[in-house]
Amino acid sequence: MSDLKKLCSGLPLDPLPPNRGRDPNVPHAPIRTPNLTAEEERLALRNALRYFPPCHHATLAPEFAQELRQYGHIYMYRFCPTLQLRAYPIDQYPCRTRQAASIMLMIMNNLDPAVAQFPQELVTYGGNGQVFSNWAQFCLVMHYLSEMTEEQTLVMYSGHPMGLFPSLPSSPRAIITNGMVIPNYSSRDQYEKMFALGASMYGQMTAGSYCYIGPQGIVHGTMLTVLNAGRRYLGTDDLRGRVFVTSGLGGMSGAQAKAAVISGCIGVIAEVDEVPLRKRHEQGWLMEVTSSLDQCIKRIRDARSSKTPLSMGYHGNIVDLWERLLLEYERTGELLVDLGSDQTSLHNPFNGGYYPVSLSFRQANQLMATDAGRFRSTVQESLRRQIKAINKLSDAGMFFWDYGNAFLLEAQRAGADVKKVDGLATEFRYPSYVQHIMGDIFSLGFGPFRWVCTSGDPKDLAVTDGIATSVLEEISVSVSDRIKQQYKDNHRWIKEAGKHKMVVGSQARILYSDQKGRVSIALAINQAVADGRVSAPVVISRDHHDVSGTDSPFRETSNVYDGSAFCADMAVQNFVGDAFRGATWVSLHNGGGVGWGEVMNGGFGLLLDGTADAAKRASLMLNWDVSNGVARRCWSGNVNAYETIQRTMEENRQLCVTMPFPVQDEHVLDRALQG
């Protein structure tokens, strides 16, 4: 029996695999503190044992109880496979349909130790973005997928495989929901209990939907953000000699170093954890590493003077770095930072997402596990100090934005001075990057479209890169200058991505494209599979962080000002619409980016196998997947979205969108309300 066939044979029960515990050679998730009662601990244990016949309960119950008390969750380490998990080529998976094999490939990529942040805890990125809740679920899912036919659908409840259910060949092969909790009970504290009980799960965005492609995706998005920030705030495309200061070098935030260099600027990124910092340096994403603030300041001055692109990791706390930059300004009058942001995991501030300045990394982890209340207070004091320094540097001329990681939201909750005078509920002293930078791009229909070559062959990726480049060049001839600029940025990206070795894990690529570009690229790739230029099927997908996929009032929909920013109809409609228009699998999540209870988001995967059916599915589904969000943004009053959906209706007579009539005379409202 091959290793993959054995992996897909179900839970190994006869005999049970040896309990090897946690692997000391890989990073591990912070200890969780669900604060279960004795009765809840009993329930968590009972729930975990449901996966196993009673003859094994006496063996498994004590070790599961130990995991729960020692780590705050039952991960079932005994069942963590010994086979190296990675995106093996699609033809190596035992299956009855290639659609199922494509899902297996994407799951394996999410759990690849080269990709995943905490592989043994099944966390792909973001500190707590789970693929599954435990290893029993992984074993069952791989088995179900290997047995599935094209008249079955795998139903996933927050990591738990409910089973295979009869469906149509045109139906999705998997329907995934994560964290679908009744709204009044969707609090952070209740989540910790529900996760410990095995009742719910936080899938982040592309962790629990099996669509993560490594940090490449966020490199691209960050590059576009920095380029467009330069245009908006600094009035230039040329970022040489400009300094961008931020924090975080983990699964997502680690992209900032590479994005800074590709953009041409000087990126200085603080990180308290030496493991990801060293990992980014070894990958070549960080050019330099230092734990000295004096060296940081010296290298900033050197690189500014020579206008040399630089990515430097500061091994220390971001608050210390901000305060030192402020001290330099107060001493010399020299402002050493032009652009600033933050990518610490503040969707998870009290469980390893943010480390306070007054404690060492080790001290913080100890306090987190032993005195949650004191740790919370220490985090909030650190946030207040951080904002105080940022405010003073901003007053001196630095431009700062929130990166959609709940930084300003948590700073506000901590009592920091981030309030915007006369601002709406979604506005702070500083804009989110969606409000000022990427929101207009979303309203034009542009967002993070991606594909994965299931052969695992870099040659196939090179062919698809060439196809995408040719498509963008062809369709850019007849578009407005603004859209042409976006195509130009993405053409530059594809060239730079190959040069900078962006692939980690699966052979994947991402670019930002609008509706026309996505459909055209998908159809061209499908044709290349059909005629053999690409040797195996290709999975297309996107980040949930997109035009239509996410309702998030402090990020993706923070520039929606008609009062509907806190409504989630768009994301839910997108999930449902993708499902019956041809997606191979779909997902809908509570949480992602800014955290549990703060956002609803969904995604899809679609297998391009070179058939006419795949072309039809791709065209129908991708057109909907973009137009849904543009229509919603148009209705909210966005001018770019109005023009975009108007043009789309002219190109597709079957599309008929309700268009808004804006109030042209504000005095009409004044008179009506005064009367």
Side-chain angles (χ1 to χ4, degrees):
M1 184 185 293
S2 72
D3 288 338
L4 278 174
K5 193 168 184 181
K6 185 177 179 182
L7 184 76
C8 295
S9 62
L11 274 168
L13 299 175
D14 187 18
L16 289 173
N19 183 14
R20 297 176 303 277
R22 302 216 302 184
D23 182 352
N25 299 311
V26 298
H28 290 282
I31 295 169
R32 294 181 172 275
T33 52
N35 297 317
L36 300 182
T37 64
E39 222 21 69
E40 287 167 337
E41 281 190 340
R42 192 178 185 86
L43 180 58
L45 193 55
R46 187 193 308 277
N47 287 347
L49 291 171
R50 286 183 292 188
Y51 289 102
F52 307 95
C55 60
H56 294 301
H57 289 184
T59 301
L60 297 175
E63 68 188 57
F64 288 175
Q66 182 183 1
E67 286 183 22
L68 181 63
R69 287 173 172 166
Q70 190 170 353
Y71 306 121
H73 188 73
I74 301 171
Y75 296 105
M76 306 185 186
Y77 291 113
R78 177 191 287 267
F79 297 94
C80 180
T82 55
L83 176 69
Q84 181 187 356
L85 302 188
R86 63 178 179 85
Y88 293 91
I90 192 169
D91 60 6
Q92 294 186 22
Y93 296 93
C95 66
R96 296 180 180 181
T97 166
R98 274 189 155 183
Q99 293 183 48
S102 71
I103 301 172
M104 288 193 271
L105 181 151
M106 301 291 278
I107 289 171
M108 294 281 276
N109 187 66
N110 271 24
L111 293 170
D112 181 343
V115 173
Q117 186 179 13
F118 305 123
Q120 280 207 307
E121 287 75 44
L122 304 106
V123 172
T124 301
Y125 71 92
N128 60 353
Q130 303 285 148
V131 186
F132 303 107
S133 180
N134 59 58
W135 286 104
Q137 294 173 347
F138 168 82
C139 294
L140 288 172
V141 166
M142 295 299 282
H143 178 63
Y144 280 136
L145 289 170
S146 71
E147 294 291 319
M148 168 190 288
T149 72
E150 291 194 357
E151 292 186 335
Q152 290 175 303
T153 293
L154 175 63
V155 176
M156 297 294 302
Y157 281 28
S158 290
H160 169 68
M162 194 57 69
L164 294 174
F165 291 79
S167 61
L168 298 170
S170 59
S171 304
R173 298 282 69 83
I175 301 280
I176 304 160
T177 53
N178 284 308
M180 294 293 106
V181 173
I182 304 301
N184 279 353
Y185 304 90
S186 190
S187 71
R188 188 177 286 144
D189 290 341
Q190 285 168 314
Y191 165 71
E192 291 296 339
K193 281 185 182 285
M194 283 185 252
F195 182 58
L197 291 172
S200 195
M201 189 182 88
Y202 183 71
Q204 266 285 0
M205 289 191 165
T206 53
S209 66
Y210 322 146
C211 291
Y212 190 63
I213 60 166
Q216 176 187 169
I218 192 65
V219 173
H220 179 235
T222 305
M223 181 202 81
L224 290 180
T225 300
V226 173
L227 283 176
N228 284 292
R231 290 167 186 149
R232 176 167 186 134
Y233 298 133
L234 307 176
T236 181
D237 279 328
D238 185 359
L239 295 180
R240 289 176 299 172
R242 302 291 193 157
V243 179
F244 171 48
V245 172
T246 181
S247 60
L249 286 165
M252 295 292 279
S253 55
Q256 296 180 106
K258 182 63 79 173
V261 172
I262 295 175
S263 303
C265 70
I266 300 153
V268 184
I269 306 99
E271 171 60 63
V272 293
D273 186 351
E274 189 174 10
V275 173
L277 184 132
R278 294 295 172 194
K279 181 178 179 180
R280 297 304 177 205
H281 190 231
E282 288 163 8
Q283 286 175 333
W285 289 35
L286 276 175
M287 296 162 67
E288 299 178 15
V289 170
T290 182
S291 57
S292 165
L293 283 170
D294 289 341
Q295 179 68 6
C296 260
I297 299 302
K298 179 182 182 301
R299 291 298 292 126
I300 289 172
R301 286 197 167 106
D302 291 345
R304 285 182 83 212
S305 176
S306 63
K307 294 193 173 181
T308 305
L310 172 67
S311 57
M312 182 166 59
Y314 166 59
H315 183 209
N317 197 287
I318 183 60
V319 181
D320 286 327
L321 180 56
W322 283 124
E323 290 179 344
R324 178 58 184 272
L325 288 164
L326 176 61
L327 182 62
E328 292 296 319
Y329 174 72
E330 290 173 341
R331 282 176 177 170
T332 67
E334 184 181 16
L335 184 63
L336 294 175
V337 53
D338 301 283
L339 302 171
S341 192
D342 185 280
Q343 274 200 42
T344 45
S345 297
L346 271 156
H347 66 276
N348 185 35
F350 310 120
N351 199 32
Y354 181 92
Y355 283 81
V357 65
S358 57
L359 300 172
S360 71
F361 184 63
R362 185 181 59 81
Q363 289 170 335
N365 280 322
Q366 286 177 338
L367 187 61
M368 197 189 308
T370 57
D371 191 340
R374 190 168 148 225
F375 183 74
R376 180 184 293 254
S377 299
T378 310
V379 164
Q380 292 182 326
E381 169 58 27
S382 185
L383 282 167
R384 290 193 291 271
R385 275 179 61 179
Q386 186 170 345
I387 287 293
K388 185 177 180 181
I390 288 169
N391 286 349
K392 290 182 178 180
L393 288 165
S394 178
D395 289 343
M398 176 191 73
F399 296 94
F400 185 90
W401 68 87
D402 181 286
Y403 218 116
N405 58 333
F407 174 66
L408 293 178
L409 181 63
E410 288 301 331
Q412 181 187 59
R413 289 168 175 167
D417 181 14
V418 294
K419 184 178 179 182
K420 180 179 179 179
V421 178
D422 298 325
L424 299 175
T426 58
E427 294 182 300
F428 297 100
R429 176 172 182 158
Y430 304 106
S432 80
Y433 75 117
V434 172
Q435 286 170 325
H436 267 203
I437 304 169
M438 299 301 283
D440 283 347
I441 293 173
F442 282 167
S443 298
L444 293 168
F446 280 83
F449 177 63
R450 56 180 60 167
W451 62 91
V452 176
C453 297
T454 67
S455 65
D457 189 344
K459 293 177 184 175
D460 280 344
L461 184 59
V463 171
T464 58
D465 280 352
I467 289 169
T469 300
S470 297
V471 166
L472 293 183
E473 287 175 346
E474 184 179 328
I475 63 179
S476 66
V477 174
S478 57
V479 298
S480 68
D481 288 344
R482 189 161 193 193
I483 292 175
K484 193 172 290 185
Q485 177 66 64
Q486 297 307 318
Y487 285 150
K488 184 179 176 183
D489 285 348
N490 282 279
H491 189 280
R492 169 183 174 180
W493 159 255
I494 292 175
K495 289 197 299 183
E496 294 287 342
K499 187 166 66 178
H500 285 271
K501 300 177 181 177
M502 290 285 96
V503 170
V504 178
S506 59
Q507 292 294 317
R509 183 67 72 228
I510 186 170
L511 56 78
Y512 266 55
S513 185
D514 60 356
Q515 182 171 324
K516 187 173 184 178
R518 297 186 207 202
V519 174
S520 299
I521 291 170
L523 294 181
I525 290 176
N526 190 61
Q527 185 57 47
V529 174
D531 61 31
R533 283 177 291 144
V534 174
S535 68
V538 172
V539 171
I540 58 171
S541 181
R542 59 161 170 76
D543 196 348
H544 298 197
H545 164 66
D546 195 16
V547 181
S548 309
T550 299
D551 282 297
S552 180
F554 297 103
R555 198 163 84 169
E556 284 81 356
T557 46
S558 59
N559 67 331
V560 169
Y561 300 117
D562 68 343
S564 71
F566 291 90
C567 301
D569 301 80
M570 180 178 73
V572 176
Q573 287 281 358
N574 224 64
F575 161 79
V576 174
D578 284 352
F580 67 74
R581 286 179 174 87
T584 306
W585 73 95
V586 290
S587 64
L588 183 67
H589 298 187
N590 169 11
V594 294
W596 179 266
E598 304 286 356
V599 50
M600 293 289 288
N601 62 92
F604 72 86
L606 194 157
L607 186 68
L608 299 176
D609 59 6
T611 62
D613 180 61
K616 182 179 179 181
R617 288 170 177 252
S619 180
L620 192 62
M621 198 213 70
L622 289 173
N623 276 303
W624 154 256
D625 194 67
V626 178
S627 282
N628 172 41
V630 178
R632 184 268 178 97
R633 293 167 192 277
C634 164
W635 185 247
S636 76
N638 187 286
V639 175
N640 288 325
Y642 186 101
E643 294 171 356
T644 301
I645 205 68
Q646 187 76 53
R647 186 173 61 251
T648 307
M649 283 194 288
E650 291 167 4
E651 294 171 355
N652 183 353
R653 294 299 177 183
Q654 285 189 300
L655 179 65
C656 186
V657 172
T658 305
M659 303 296 280
F661 293 98
V663 172
Q664 295 178 340
D665 182 0
E666 290 291 322
H667 293 102
V668 171
L669 305 182
D670 295 337
R671 288 192 293 271
L673 293 170
Q674 287 167 3

